Amino acid sequence: MTAPPCINPSLIRQYLYCPAAAYYVIAGLAEPPTERMKKGKETQKEAVEAVAKALGAEAVEHSVQLRGAGFCGVIDAVLIIDGRPAPLEVKTTTKPRRVPTPHKAQLGAYMLAAQAHYGKAVQRGYIYYAETGETAEIPLTQDLKTLVLYTADKIRQIYTGHTPQPRPHPNKCPGCWYRK
Ligand code: SF4
C-alpha cells in the first residue's frame, strides 16, 4: 500500500492513543460510529454557534473540508476571530482535567491544514466538550507542530508496510473497541 497524499487528523489522534488502533483503521477495520457519536453530530451546529458567540467570532463556517500541509479532513467548524481562522473540534464527552495529547494533536493537524487552506497564520484552535459545555483553547506551539509532523511520518510508515507495536495500557485496553 502506498501512503495517501494527505493524512486525516483523526489518524493522528488514533496513533497517539495507540499505534495499533491507527493500524486497524488503516487496514479498514475502523470502529463504526456509536450512537453517542451520531447524536453528537446532530446537536453540533447549535453548540458551534454558541461557542462562536462566546468567543466573539466575526464569522463561523460549519463542517469545513480542510486540505493542506499534508493533512485533509472535515473539521466541525472554523471560527474567524480577529481576522484569523481558528478550527473548532466538538467532542461529545466531558472535558478532562487536562486535555489529552491525542486531542491536542488532532486539532494541531487541523490547524496546520487551516493555515495552508486559508493562507493565514493560525495561532490557536478550540475543543468544545459537549457533555460539560466547556471549551479548551489550544495554542499551536512549535512542540505541538513537531509532534503532529512526527506522528504523520509514523502513520505514513504504516501505509508503506510497517506494523507498529501495540501499546497496552491498563487504563485504555479494557474500554478499547479494538481489544476484540
Ligand atoms: S486494546 Fe490496548 S493495545 Fe489493543 S489497540 Fe486498544 S489500546 Fe492498543
Side-chain angles (χ1 to χ4, degrees), residues 10 22 55 66 68 104 111 122 129 132 146-147 153 157 164 167:
S10 67
L55 293 172
L66 293 176
K104 288 184 191 174
M111 288 193 267
V122 171
Y129 291 92
T132 45
T146 302
L147 174 67
D153 275 346
Q157 288 174 20
R167 277 189 214 139

Side-chain angles (χ1 to χ4, degrees), residues 124-174:
R124 59 187 62 84
Y126 297 92
I127 304 174
Y128 176 72
Y129 291 92
E131 203 160 301
T132 45
E134 293 173 277
T135 305
E137 180 179 304
I138 310 297
L140 183 58
T141 62
Q142 189 56 48
D143 280 356
L144 185 56
K145 283 184 203 172
T146 302
L147 174 67
V148 169
L149 296 176
Y150 171 83
T151 308
D153 275 346
K154 292 288 182 188
I155 290 168
R156 281 190 204 98
Q157 288 174 20
I158 297 177
Y159 277 107
T160 52
H162 174 67
T163 304
Q165 285 298 311
R167 277 189 214 139
H169 191 284
N171 290 346
K172 293 179 182 176
C173 295

